[in-house]
Amino acid sequence: MKKRIIDTSVFCGILGIAMMILFHNYIFGDRYFLFPNVVTDGVVQFYPDYVQKASKGIGSFFSFSYAWGSNFKVSNPFELLITSFGGAHVAYMIGIAMVLKCMLAGIFFYGFLKEKGMTRVTSTVFALSYAFSVQVIGAGCWKSQAELAIIVAIFLWAIERGKKKRGIVLFALGILLTILCLGLYFKLMLIAFLALYLVAELYQSNINVKRQFTAKQKRIIILGCALCMLVVMGVLWYKLQDVFQSYRFQAGVESLGQEWKKTFSYKNIQIIGTAIIRTFAPNVLGIPGANEYYGSDTGWYIGDGTYYCGILTILLIPQIFHRDTKKRNLVVAVELGISSIIMLCPVFRLVLNGFSNDIYKLSRVWVILIMLITAAIALDEMITGKRQLAGKRLIMTWGATIAIVLVMCLKLQKHMYYYDVCIYLVVSALEVLLLWIYGKKGEKSTKLIRSGMVVLVVFEVLSLNYKFINNSDAVTKEAWITGYYNDGTKEILEQSQKDMLFERVDKTYQSVQLNDSAVQGYYGTAYYVGGVGKSSFTDFALSTSIPTLKGIPGWCLGTTGNVYLESLFSVNKIVANSDNCASYGFQLENNSNDKYLYKNRNVLPLGFCYDKAISQSAFEEIDASDRAESLLEYAVVEDGSDIFKDFQTEPKEKRKSEPVYTDEIASYGIGTNIGLPVEVTENETVVVEIEDSQEVSAQVAWTTEEGKFGYRYASCYEQNGKTKVEFSGQNGIRNIVIYSNSGESDLHLDKVRISVYQSEEYYKEFEKNIAERKSNVLQLEQCTEEYICGTIQVEKAQLLFFTIPYGAKFKYYIDGEEVKKEKVDMAFTGIYLPKGTHKVEIVY
């Protein structure tokens, strides 16, 4: 026991020194572990999420500052660490949490290897390789990736201790962290891997199940397992409904047929080649943030497309195979075969990675563990004298890796990062030399060679990881304080008079990206939730042509410029970075430090009434360009809804205004200037309609002859085939140009129509609908993110609508009695409101 404590202390000391060298900039606060260009998610998704949680503390809560309103839960211990010192320290604490994750991953994996009976040197070498593997360091920039590495190591240690009937505490810790830290897909992957690991361990052992248990005990075990599986499957099936309905899952399933065809494509060969070369050295295609190539088309995320877990690991894997270990040979061959299939086949990559992409985010940890455990067994058997080094096999393995590196150098040349190439060549050569000497050694040189292995691995993890961890893209403390979210937005909003208890704010610019509101302290309509997209929000965004970045519904640009949805969503203010708001009904209220604040005279409150409703099927029959406006006249209820059947009607055809000027261009070339023969006045509105059979994400820009300009984002979705943008209140518009968000210059749109209208006439129906909606509104008396209450008087039964997501965990009360909420407008909430005067309460 004493020797084990000393060994573990020595390992922790080595790990701690390596951590201090690698992370000193983050520990002392000179830099923050945020990479705005390389790992965009950290800055634009996770940081705002942590700031939200820092303001609330542990437990569940709701926030309007994120994606039109979202449920949050703070239970992950690492998130608690990051958020426990308040929002002002979140950026710093992200780096500290990363240090802790690396330490824990290494310590728990060290414990597993020691429990498996491996020597101190083997355990130290491969625990260091695990702690500094791409799963922990690179993928750790994303939520739950490093946590997954820690939890798997805990369970593996628990299994080994369980063989000695001592693993109950570790099992409990692993289960607790799994519940607190991992999402559903991670949990499923964890269960699958551990089950396969146990099967492999049982197969290799000589346990005779028939002799271990009586017939009665076996029946009880089988029945108990079956009941547990039923309970687990029941719980999982309920939770999987959200997964099945998500945009990511549905889009992934639709693409499966195409993914098979990519297996032998040049693109897939590029991905595989990148994965292999980066497994030798993760930054060999360039250090992110430096002026170097880093494979933007083949896994540009530093954590993607690589299984890096140490050079020694690669060299030792072939040493595991021996003639007298047939069972183990079969197990290892199957494991490596599965790993190869995951790497080679796009379909398996897509499914195993939760349909997030076709790279390696979720499946990587299993492959890394297989590689590390296999190599660790091989080295340990050499150290303990059970096996001799297969020298020729070692030289062949090393030679093959050198050949691959040299071929890549010849093929890519200037794209290769030769620092990593040199590190790989030197370290691999020295490790081969040490192993060769060890195979031929005399007993006297054993300690020296073992120590040399540890020193080489430490040198490797420091030299290959230092430039990534401390690369130039990492945010400096000074830059974070003076830039990013601190651009004057918060200040101009603080100067504004708040005349509504509840209001949302739109911006014509992005401070960082789409989740600015969560950090800058306002309720917004833009949001970024990665490639996933929330299914109900996605359906709404697609149906109403809300623009998205790169055509991904999870990257929602919000309602800016769409006056119909801005009014619907209680957008009372727009902040612009120039005096060109160009939205009808918005008037300049204030300007300060190059920020301009506009106020919406047509804003609707959080709760208002409809007396007419249409089914979702009828809504989808409305022209895609007119759907957003129709939401101010009709509520959209689910097909077959009984509670609102008295309100249901058929949508009427929209009254069309006569344009002052119109022109239509067929096969419009992206980037082509369209000159207007008339000069638009501030009392006129320019409407640009885009039609295309393919999905298009674009910017529609206007300019004047004096050089003034502005733009709107527009998304033409394939299922709609059309979209439109409107510019109002701007004198002198003479030119319109449409650009592609993806940067394509040779793209052609099927049709572009430009029309100029008298604003008063064009928005006549809109003004009428706004007046009708304002006639019956909820007069708010109190409004927080946990409790909303107000009064309302109606002369007949109405549908009371709230722009609160249907999935939000609110309960609704009328005069103290709970009422059933219904899904209205595809993603939001409505309740049946009887005639009379009522007090309405909404409680989280």
Side-chain angles (χ1 to χ4, degrees):
M1 184 66 180
K2 183 178 179 181
K3 184 178 183 301
R4 184 160 188 168
I5 292 172
I6 293 171
D7 289 349
T8 305
S9 300
V10 170
F11 169 75
C12 290
I14 295 170
L15 184 60
I17 292 169
M19 285 292 173
M20 182 60 70
I21 294 171
L22 288 174
F23 286 94
H24 66 276
N25 280 321
Y26 305 99
I27 293 170
F28 295 112
D30 298 327
R31 287 182 179 270
Y32 297 143
F33 203 73
L34 295 166
F35 305 90
N37 296 308
V38 181
V39 191
T40 311
D41 287 359
V43 179
V44 304
Q45 185 178 1
F46 306 146
Y47 176 78
D49 184 56
Y50 293 142
V51 170
Q52 285 287 294
K53 292 174 179 178
S55 66
K56 300 291 183 178
I58 193 169
S60 299
F61 66 94
F62 179 85
S63 175
F64 282 109
S65 295
Y66 205 93
W68 299 335
S70 293
N71 297 308
F72 284 85
K73 185 178 181 182
V74 185
S75 57
N76 183 320
F78 298 102
E79 288 187 354
L80 284 174
L81 173 65
I82 291 170
T83 60
S84 58
F85 297 95
H89 301 286
V90 162
Y92 170 73
M93 291 306 299
I94 290 172
I96 300 302
M98 192 67 231
V99 173
L100 179 62
K101 290 175 189 179
C102 292
M103 291 287 291
L104 291 176
I107 290 168
F108 285 123
F109 199 69
Y110 179 86
F112 156 65
L113 293 174
K114 288 292 287 183
E115 200 69 48
K116 204 169 176 65
M118 297 195 183
T119 62
R120 177 176 60 186
V121 171
T122 303
S123 301
T124 299
V125 164
F126 289 101
L128 284 170
S129 296
Y130 190 65
F132 296 104
S133 68
V134 74
Q135 178 67 29
V136 180
I137 294 287
C141 297
W142 286 269
K143 284 186 176 181
S144 301
Q145 299 282 340
E147 286 93 321
L148 179 62
I150 294 167
I151 291 167
V152 174
I154 291 171
F155 274 116
L156 290 175
W157 190 4
I159 289 170
E160 292 303 319
R161 287 185 68 83
K163 293 176 183 178
K164 304 168 187 175
K165 300 181 180 179
R166 295 185 301 180
I168 188 68
V169 175
L170 283 171
F171 271 118
L173 177 60
I175 291 169
L176 178 63
L177 288 177
T178 300
I179 294 169
L180 296 178
C181 297
L182 300 185
L184 178 61
Y185 218 91
F186 279 105
K187 290 173 184 172
L188 290 173
M189 295 288 288
L190 177 65
I191 292 168
F193 172 78
L194 292 176
L196 290 172
Y197 179 80
L198 284 170
V199 169
E201 287 291 292
L202 287 171
Y203 176 74
Q204 292 179 80
S205 67
N206 295 315
I207 296 175
N208 190 325
V209 177
K210 291 182 179 179
R211 293 179 182 177
Q212 290 286 328
F213 304 102
T214 65
K216 184 178 180 181
Q217 287 174 328
K218 282 190 279 186
R219 283 196 294 270
I220 292 171
I221 290 170
I222 292 169
L223 181 62
C225 289
L227 287 172
C228 287
M229 286 297 293
L230 285 172
V231 171
V232 170
M233 289 305 295
V235 173
L236 289 179
W237 180 255
Y238 174 76
K239 291 188 174 182
L240 278 169
Q241 297 306 304
D242 286 340
V243 176
F244 295 151
Q245 293 172 12
S246 72
Y247 168 78
R248 173 177 284 175
F249 181 87
Q250 293 174 4
V253 170
E254 289 175 8
S255 69
L256 284 178
Q258 295 298 319
E259 293 299 318
W260 284 112
K261 299 176 184 178
K262 294 179 183 178
T263 304
F264 301 104
S265 67
Y266 179 71
K267 175 71 173 179
N268 193 44
I269 293 170
Q270 274 189 312
I271 291 172
I272 295 165
T274 301
I276 292 171
I277 193 69
R278 281 183 167 171
T279 299
F280 299 158
N283 304 314
V284 75
L285 286 177
I287 298 298
N291 293 321
E292 300 283 348
Y293 174 82
Y294 51 88
S296 60
D297 293 325
T298 49
W300 64 271
Y301 283 150
I302 183 62
D304 281 355
T306 168
Y307 294 128
Y308 172 74
C309 53
I311 297 171
L312 190 62
T313 303
I314 299 167
L315 297 173
L316 284 171
I317 287 174
Q319 299 290 323
I320 196 69
F321 296 101
H322 298 280
R323 291 181 180 178
D324 58 344
T325 56
K326 292 183 179 179
K327 281 189 174 181
R328 188 176 74 186
N329 291 350
L330 178 61
V331 168
V332 173
V334 169
E335 290 174 343
L336 294 176
I338 292 172
S339 301
S340 299
I341 291 171
I342 293 171
M343 176 187 285
L344 298 174
C345 186
V347 170
F348 288 103
R349 294 201 301 261
L350 189 67
V351 173
L352 291 175
N353 290 299
F355 298 95
S356 60
N357 49 41
D358 66 347
I359 317 293
Y360 312 97
K361 282 187 180 176
L362 303 186
S363 61
R364 174 180 39 240
V365 66
W366 321 127
V367 179
I368 285 175
L369 282 166
I370 289 167
M371 292 169 65
L372 281 170
I373 294 170
T374 302
I377 292 170
L379 179 63
D380 204 66
E381 288 182 344
M382 288 168 51
I383 289 175
T384 55
K386 293 180 182 178
R387 305 285 175 189
Q388 293 297 313
L389 174 74
K392 291 182 180 179
R393 201 182 301 172
L394 176 65
I395 297 299
M396 288 175 65
T397 305
W398 182 55
T401 64
I402 296 298
I404 292 171
V405 172
L406 292 177
V407 168
M408 294 294 285
C409 287
L410 289 172
K411 180 73 176 173
L412 297 177
Q413 296 181 9
K414 65 179 181 179
H415 292 163
M416 295 290 283
Y417 190 67
Y418 288 98
Y419 169 88
D420 269 30
V421 172
C422 292
I423 293 295
Y424 179 79
L425 293 175
V426 170
V427 172
S428 62
L430 289 173
E431 287 178 347
V432 167
L433 181 63
L434 276 179
L435 289 169
W436 185 269
I437 294 171
Y438 196 86
K440 307 291 183 182
K441 57 136 180 58
E443 206 56 43
K444 296 178 181 178
S445 60
T446 302
K447 288 185 178 180
L448 182 62
I449 295 172
R450 291 178 183 177
S451 300
M453 286 183 187
V454 174
V455 170
L456 265 179
V457 170
V458 171
F459 172 75
E460 175 197 332
V461 298
L462 291 177
S463 57
L464 290 182
N465 284 296
Y466 187 87
K467 281 188 174 291
F468 162 61
I469 292 173
N470 296 280
N471 79 72
S472 60
D473 192 46
V475 175
T476 64
K477 181 179 181 181
E478 182 181 358
W480 189 256
I481 293 171
T482 57
Y484 292 92
Y485 294 100
N486 303 306
D487 63 350
T489 301
K490 191 173 182 180
E491 288 73 16
I492 196 167
L493 287 172
E494 287 173 347
Q495 295 170 19
S496 170
Q497 293 288 331
K498 191 170 182 180
D499 53 3
M500 298 175 66
L501 279 178
F502 178 89
E503 66 177 18
R504 288 187 172 98
V505 176
D506 272 344
K507 296 196 307 185
T508 63
Y509 60 93
Q510 297 169 20
S511 299
V512 175
Q513 205 181 64
L514 298 172
N515 290 333
D516 297 344
S517 59
V519 180
Q520 293 174 331
Y522 63 90
Y523 300 158
T525 62
Y527 62 88
Y528 170 65
V529 288
V532 187
K534 300 189 175 183
S535 56
S536 56
F537 287 178
T538 300
D539 292 342
F540 183 82
L542 295 179
S543 292
T544 56
S545 297
I546 291 177
T548 56
L549 280 177
K550 303 180 183 179
I552 302 173
W555 296 22
C556 177
L557 286 157
T559 63
T560 303
N562 189 319
V563 295
Y564 315 106
L565 295 182
E566 284 177 324
S567 296
L568 182 81
F569 281 105
S570 307
V571 175
N572 192 34
K573 296 183 178 75
I574 284 181
V575 183
N577 52 9
S578 61
D579 59 342
N580 58 0
C581 174
S583 287
Y584 178 77
F586 282 83
Q587 298 168 330
L588 182 64
E589 181 181 278
N590 186 22
N591 69 288
S592 175
N593 296 324
D594 297 324
K595 294 290 183 287
Y596 296 79
L597 187 70
Y598 294 84
K599 190 171 174 9
N600 186 5
R601 62 179 169 84
N602 293 308
V603 63
L604 291 172
L606 178 64
F608 59 86
C609 288
Y610 287 103
D611 57 0
K612 291 183 288 187
I614 57 175
S615 66
Q616 187 163 324
S617 297
F619 177 71
E620 290 168 359
E621 292 298 319
I622 296 174
D623 188 283
S625 297
D626 298 329
R627 287 177 192 159
E629 185 175 358
S630 71
L631 292 174
L632 295 173
E633 186 171 1
Y634 312 102
V636 178
V637 298
E638 294 183 293
D639 292 352
S641 173
D642 290 328
I643 191 168
F644 299 128
K645 62 183 179 181
D646 294 339
F647 304 137
Q648 289 201 38
T649 184
E650 291 297 321
K652 64 183 181 181
E653 188 174 348
K654 183 189 173 185
R655 182 183 66 85
K656 299 289 185 180
S657 303
E658 285 297 321
V660 175
Y661 163 81
T662 187
D663 187 21
E664 189 173 289
I665 301 99
S667 190
Y668 169 82
I670 284 288
T672 304
N673 181 68
I674 304 172
L676 301 181
V678 295
E679 186 172 291
V680 178
T681 69
E682 63 180 6
N683 297 318
E684 292 176 321
T685 296
V686 179
V687 180
V688 181
E689 298 173 90
I690 298 171
E691 294 186 28
D692 202 81
S693 58
Q694 301 297 316
E695 193 160 295
V696 177
S697 182
Q699 291 181 36
V700 183
W702 58 265
T703 61
T704 68
E705 290 185 347
E706 291 75 28
K708 195 174 181 180
F709 69 94
Y711 66 91
R712 296 262 195 268
Y713 287 102
S715 291
C716 181
Y717 299 110
E718 191 173 345
Q719 58 265 53
N720 297 337
K722 61 168 61 177
T723 189
K724 71 176 179 180
V725 295
E726 301 168 356
F727 303 111
S728 297
Q730 292 296 326
N731 270 320
I733 295 178
R734 293 302 297 264
N735 301 286
I736 300 292
V737 185
I738 302 174
Y739 301 99
S740 170
N741 277 338
S742 60
E744 296 175 86
S745 58
D746 57 349
L747 187 68
H748 281 76
L749 304 177
D750 293 347
K751 188 186 296 183
V752 172
R753 183 184 297 109
I754 299 176
S755 305
V756 180
Y757 296 89
Q758 287 292 332
S759 297
E760 186 177 353
E761 179 65 20
Y762 183 76
Y763 288 109
K764 190 173 183 178
E765 194 73 16
F766 164 68
E767 295 274 10
K768 176 178 172 250
N769 289 330
I770 289 292
E772 288 179 359
R773 298 290 73 80
K774 285 185 174 182
S775 63
N776 287 302
V777 300
L778 182 68
Q779 302 294 332
L780 291 179
E781 297 170 356
Q782 188 175 344
C783 183
T784 68
E785 291 177 323
E786 292 81 31
Y787 179 75
I788 301 166
C789 74
T791 58
I792 187 170
Q793 181 178 1
V794 289
E795 296 179 354
K796 61 178 181 179
Q798 303 265 297
L799 187 163
L800 180 54
F801 173 75
F802 303 95
T803 49
I804 297 174
Y806 178 75
K809 299 174 182 178
F810 282 102
K811 291 185 177 180
Y812 294 79
Y813 298 86
I814 296 178
D815 300 328
E817 291 190 17
E818 186 176 354
V819 295
K820 184 183 178 183
K821 66 178 181 181
E822 298 288 336
K823 185 183 285 188
V824 177
D825 289 358
M826 306 179 75
F828 303 96
T829 306
I831 60 175
Y832 180 86
L833 186 69
K835 175 184 175 181
T837 302
H838 305 284
K839 181 177 181 181
V840 178
E841 294 174 285
I842 306 171
V843 183
Y844 188 75

